[in-house]
Amino acid sequence: MVLTEIENGVAVVTIDNPPVNALGSGVPEGIEEAIEAAEADGSVRAIVIVGAGTTFVAGADIKQLEDLAWGRGPGAPTIHELLQRIENCTKPVIMAIHGTALGGGLELAMAGHYRVAVRSARVGQPEVGLGIIPGAEGTQRLPRLVGVERAIEMCVTGKLLSAPDALEAGIIDAILEGDLRADAITYARRVSESVGPHRKTREQRVVIRNSASLEEALQTGVELARKVKRSQIAPLKAVEAIRAAATSPFEEGCARERQLFHECVTSDQCRALIHAFFAERAVTKIPGISKQTAVASIDRVFVVGAGTMGRGIAMACANSGLAVALRDSSQAALDAGMLAIRKNYDSSIQRGRLTPAVGAERVNRIQPQLDYQGIETADLVIEAVFEDLELKGSIFRELDGVMKPACMLASNTSTLSIDELARETNRPDRVLGLHFFSPAHVMRLLEIVRGEATSSQTMATALAFAKRLSKVGVVVGNCPGFVGNRLMFPYMYEAQFLVEEGATPEQVDGALQNFGMAMGIFEVEDMAGLDVAWRVRRELRQFSASGQRRPLVSDALCEMRRFGQKTGKGWYTYGESGKPTPDPEVLDLIRTLSREAAIPQRQFTDDEIIERTLFGLINEGARVLEEGFALRASDIDVIYVNGYGFPGWRGGPMFYADSVGLKRIVERISRFEQECRDRWKVSPLLRKLANAGKTFRSFDGERAASGESA
Ligand code: T1G
């Protein structure tokens, strides 16, 4: 995993541990041996460390970290001795970076005397994304290179720096424009001419760059952590570790870092976030689809419908470098669509997120049109018109007649049947659902809906398309609401029943936000539009079964045209600030309708609210698994963390269920079943797992082992 070649008096040490040269067992030991040998070799005047393949080192081996987090075995090897060995090497050690230097990879690099990188490289300390802090002296060396403030920002947000930004920040010493290896050897020979000793990062001073005091810098860090990583412990511990760097000698600071690291890695949040990391990587593993499955190339996309979703989808395509036509039957809708798109890019330019040149280039990639001109050259057509089966069916028939035979046809429907739409065409094997989430150019989640006739090639091409758009593409089956929205129904309606029984919208939303949800369910409904759910209730004939309790208030609000943010009023009222404000008129309406329906009123604790809302969602998740509409429980976690604001530090709803204990959930749902037989019934899978003392994680493990999900 580590090999050395001497070239021109320079020992080139290559780390070769695919896929990302993680510092798994054997790698640190291999590097240490290489350093020892090179230092002892008289023909060697400098040492270059480089990564094989596409990247430098992407950190510690997260698989081993996972073992540590679950208390299974020694876990990830510590590299303190190696870092000291490198730093104390009498010959200059140059770290040559391409791809990424992340976490332990950047910590390794910072122990070197010099760091050079290609312009496309990225570096960072993304450990908070796994619920930990840098654990290999990163919180002690980084502030010595970039100052306290920048180190805090990097460790609290986990954001990566480009090579030019890393040069400006003081992390790397030079950007190499040519061949990395050759240029690094040249650079190494040059620095080896300068008489030693070579600069040691540990001996650099920790400086405060632009704060009045250390306390001010640390307090700013705490506020940043609370803002961008609400309820998460690791970002706050990273600030504490950097406090140690600024207030104590290097070794003492490292000891404090190790203590704080241990507190993080043994936490529930760390186990949940590592679960989320691997869950996101598992979604690409689909039975029947392998690396050999042919993937069609998608170069030209045609989006039909310039409404909110169509515009966002067109932008997502343009942002990934694709040529995209945006078609609408009405000039007014087309103009409104393009105006919204231009406005969006302008605000990104104003916020410095895009250069004007890139903004203009992306707008020009989007070709607005009223007809289907050029559609015969499209590789993928995405229909995003009004949520009406009849309308979509007629468009599918029309498109099928004008597209080239190989073209894939997708619908952005969020609830309608892909199989019914596929039957409107002569290419059912190339029909699928691509369910984007609003705003489609921002939200990472993409539900890829497989119809009964959709081919493996179409699915493999859709997964590649999702990766190209930097989306997390999750394959789901074709049932009403697919996976995300289907689980949303019991969650959303149980919340409405709670307010009919005495809770208030703001109490329910407050409990969900304290739980960690990005937004309460009533605020989500107001954002999505109550009229959308109203139409879906009608389309899917929800609550039409006899004896089934029907939510009373949302229908009434819709009849009052309180559709939410879009009409300024919904469950809340939205004034100038755009912030949701509780509305006494809504409370009166709720109480009146409850009284008329003789619904007993009572107080609810936040825990009861969480149980009634999320246990319903989890139970439906188990049904979706047993019916085969989701391959893994972890897929449901990925869907909810990336599409519905479920806190990643709880791992997702199914991982959360495991942490609560499936027995407890079955007990609570059985209790609800006694009180509300019309809608609560424990799913057979959930009961089976609970009785067997198993978890959704073990369920996924067994399915993977049986080949059912991988
Ligand atoms: N350890 C083990 N496996 C890893 C890994 C890692 N660090 N990083 C990626 N993989 C696997 C991944 O599971 C997938 O496997 C394959 O590599 C490709 O990944 C001491 C303790 C590097 C930007 O947080 O951000 O260092 O599914 O699909 O889109 O302070 O992977 O193919 O079987 O994501 O090109 C800190 C995590 C660790 C970086 C590449 N490091 N990795 O993205 O490929 S903690 C990180 C990434 C640490 C120290 C602490 C990305 C990437 P499979 P991929 P990609």
Side-chain angles (χ1 to χ4, degrees):
M1 293 194 277
V2 177
L3 55 92
T4 301
E5 292 148 309
I6 312 295
E7 196 175 323
N8 217 353
V10 174
V12 180
V13 177
T14 303
I15 301 168
D16 189 1
N17 182 25
V20 294
N21 296 327
L23 296 168
S25 305
V27 174
E29 298 82 351
I31 300 172
E32 194 151 353
E33 281 158 27
I35 297 281
E36 298 279 354
E39 189 166 40
D41 183 334
S43 73
V44 170
R45 48 198 283 181
I47 302 164
V48 166
I49 298 186
V50 66
T54 60
T55 187
F56 183 68
V57 174
D61 186 324
I62 302 173
K63 265 273 164 256
Q64 295 180 331
L65 202 64
E66 187 175 40
D67 293 342
L68 185 61
W70 288 90
R72 295 190 301 255
T78 59
I79 61 172
H80 299 290
E81 291 72 34
L82 168 63
L83 300 176
Q84 200 160 22
R85 187 70 193 79
I86 291 171
E87 210 158 32
N88 294 339
C89 183
T90 55
K91 297 176 179 177
V93 178
I94 293 87
M95 299 292 176
I97 301 168
H98 72 301
T100 58
L102 305 180
L106 180 57
E107 292 168 297
L108 175 74
M110 290 192 287
H113 304 114
Y114 303 92
R115 284 156 294 283
V116 294
V118 294
R119 187 166 290 284
S120 59
R122 294 176 301 147
V123 303
Q125 305 283 176
E127 283 91 342
V128 285
L130 301 167
I132 55 173
I133 65 171
E137 304 167 3
T139 63
Q140 306 305 303
R141 286 200 169 81
L142 192 58
R144 283 170 164 79
L145 291 179
V146 302
V148 166
E149 296 90 340
R150 193 71 173 271
I152 286 175
E153 194 199 329
M154 288 179 68
C155 293
V156 165
T157 64
K159 281 211 183 98
L160 310 188
L161 288 192
S162 67
D165 289 349
L167 180 67
E168 178 267 327
I171 295 175
I172 62 171
D173 302 292
I175 289 182
L176 305 179
E177 302 297 356
D179 171 71
L180 175 69
R181 185 190 171 88
D183 287 7
I185 291 171
T186 307
Y187 185 94
R189 290 181 57 82
R190 198 171 60 244
V191 293
S192 69
E193 279 144 16
S194 61
V195 287
H198 295 283
R199 175 193 60 186
K200 295 181 180 179
T201 308
R202 69 168 60 216
E203 291 168 358
Q204 310 296 310
R205 280 187 47 251
V206 175
V207 293
I208 300 163
R209 291 271 166 86
N210 40 41
S211 307
S213 68
L214 173 62
E215 277 316 316
E216 185 193 290
L218 295 169
Q219 191 46 41
T220 309
V222 169
E223 283 151 22
L224 175 68
R226 294 215 171 106
K227 183 161 160 264
V228 299
K229 301 281 183 184
R230 186 162 63 90
S231 310
Q232 297 186 46
I233 57 174
L236 296 168
K237 295 202 186 272
V239 175
E240 278 316 300
I242 293 170
R243 173 193 295 277
T247 56
S248 22
F250 184 78
E251 287 306 337
E252 263 181 53
C254 288
R256 177 74 177 130
E257 176 195 90
R258 283 195 287 277
Q259 195 187 13
L260 292 161
F261 176 86
H262 183 72
E263 290 165 13
C264 289
V265 79
T266 52
S267 69
D268 292 344
Q269 293 192 358
C270 176
R271 285 185 283 277
L273 286 161
I274 291 178
H275 163 78
F277 176 86
F278 285 119
E280 198 174 307
R281 270 99 196 143
V283 296
T284 58
K285 319 272 185 315
I286 310 296
I289 295 178
S290 67
K291 290 201 168 42
Q292 282 65 46
T293 307
V295 171
S297 64
I298 305 279
D299 300 317
R300 259 186 72 71
V301 178
F302 213 96
V303 177
V304 179
T308 308
M309 293 310 292
R311 303 162 191 174
I313 296 168
M315 289 176 69
C317 293
N319 294 353
S320 67
L322 283 163
V324 53
L326 181 60
R327 188 262 180 193
D328 202 295
S329 52
S330 109
Q331 186 64 54
L334 208 50
D335 296 346
M338 289 311 294
L339 179 63
I341 288 172
R342 285 197 184 83
K343 262 209 187 130
N344 210 296
Y345 283 125
D346 290 348
S347 75
S348 299
I349 292 167
Q350 268 137 32
R351 275 180 284 141
R353 294 226 181 110
L354 279 185
T355 64
V358 171
E361 189 255 338
R362 291 183 180 181
V363 171
N364 296 337
R365 279 181 178 283
I366 303 174
Q367 176 58 41
Q369 52 191 85
L370 284 172
D371 55 24
Y372 285 123
Q373 194 199 345
I375 197 165
E376 66 287 351
T377 64
D379 306 304
L380 169 64
V381 175
I382 304 175
E383 164 276 312
V385 301
F386 191 65
E387 194 76 341
D388 177 85
L389 191 59
E390 195 36 50
L391 171 64
K392 288 181 189 283
S394 66
I395 289 176
F396 266 53
R397 283 191 298 278
E398 187 183 4
L399 290 169
D400 189 41
V402 291
M403 295 179 332
K404 68 182 180 187
C407 183
M408 291 164 50
L409 177 52
S411 173
N412 178 58
T413 178
S414 58
T415 53
L416 301 175
S417 168
I418 296 300
D419 293 334
E420 284 189 52
L421 292 173
R423 281 192 280 275
E424 300 291 341
T425 75
N426 297 315
R427 62 183 75 220
D429 60 319
R430 284 190 288 290
V431 169
L432 71 165
L434 287 178
H435 179 210
F436 289 79
F437 289 75
S438 183
H441 64 293
V442 176
M443 295 298 282
R444 295 184 67 226
L445 179 65
L446 178 61
E447 272 189 330
I448 302 175
V449 186
R450 185 172 201 164
E452 60 201 13
T454 310
S455 69
S456 296
Q457 179 180 334
T458 299
M459 293 307 292
T461 305
L463 284 162
F465 175 68
K467 187 150 186 148
R468 166 125 194 217
L469 268 59
S470 304
K471 301 285 185 198
V472 183
V474 182
V475 172
V476 298
N478 180 43
C479 60
F482 311 131
V483 172
N485 284 351
R486 178 172 161 180
L487 272 60
M488 196 65 169
F489 298 141
Y491 170 52
M492 182 168 78
Y493 291 120
E494 206 52 37
Q496 293 183 21
F497 292 140
L498 280 164
V499 296
E500 291 175 11
E501 294 163 26
T504 64
E506 55 275 21
Q507 182 200 2
V508 172
D509 281 0
L512 290 168
Q513 282 188 297
N514 292 343
F515 173 85
M517 298 300 288
M519 199 185 265
I521 184 61
F522 292 102
E523 225 186 306
V524 169
E525 267 199 78
D526 277 354
M527 184 179 67
L530 276 70
D531 53 327
V532 176
W534 202 22
R535 203 174 22 258
V536 171
R537 277 196 293 282
R538 284 199 299 271
E539 278 278 351
L540 299 181
R541 285 183 285 286
Q542 289 176 318
F543 308 103
S544 53
S546 69
Q548 195 176 14
R549 180 178 174 183
R550 180 183 186 83
L552 305 171
V553 183
S554 41
D555 284 359
L557 290 172
C558 288
E559 276 133 24
M560 298 157 70
R561 298 195 61 70
R562 294 182 66 114
F563 294 148
Q565 286 184 10
K566 63 177 84 174
T567 56
K569 288 184 174 189
W571 288 98
Y572 298 105
T573 292
Y574 297 83
E576 289 300 304
S577 69
K579 293 231 172 323
T581 311
D583 188 331
E585 186 187 352
V586 173
L587 285 185
D588 292 350
L589 176 69
I590 296 170
R591 296 295 157 254
T592 309
L593 292 172
S594 305
R595 206 172 32 254
E596 288 165 1
I599 296 172
Q601 302 292 294
R602 69 178 183 86
Q603 299 298 312
F604 289 92
T605 64
D606 284 7
D607 288 350
E608 281 179 296
I609 289 171
I610 295 300
E611 291 185 348
R612 285 267 302 264
T613 49
L614 295 182
F615 288 8
L617 186 156
I618 291 163
N619 194 39
E620 195 66 22
R623 283 211 178 85
V624 158
L625 283 170
E626 65 202 358
E627 294 164 16
F629 293 116
L631 283 169
R632 288 161 284 256
S634 65
D635 284 2
I636 297 174
D637 290 334
V638 171
I639 287 172
Y640 264 74
V641 169
N642 291 285
Y644 294 82
F646 195 97
W649 54 269
R650 287 189 186 273
M654 310 313 275
F655 184 88
Y656 165 68
D658 284 352
S659 67
V660 170
L662 301 190
K663 261 198 172 39
R664 161 104 182 126
I665 293 183
V666 168
E667 275 162 24
R668 296 301 294 153
I669 294 179
S670 307
R671 176 74 186 283
F672 300 149
E673 201 171 339
Q674 281 148 25
E675 293 163 6
C676 332
R677 287 195 179 286
D678 66 311
R679 62 183 186 281
W680 284 100
K681 187 157 190 42
V682 178
S683 92
L685 173 64
L686 182 56
R687 190 180 298 285
K688 194 173 92 190
L689 292 174
N691 292 347
K694 290 185 173 174
T695 62
F696 285 118
R697 270 170 76 81
S698 63
F699 170 83
D700 281 354
E702 285 160 20
R703 253 199 183 173
S706 68
E708 268 180 272
S709 68

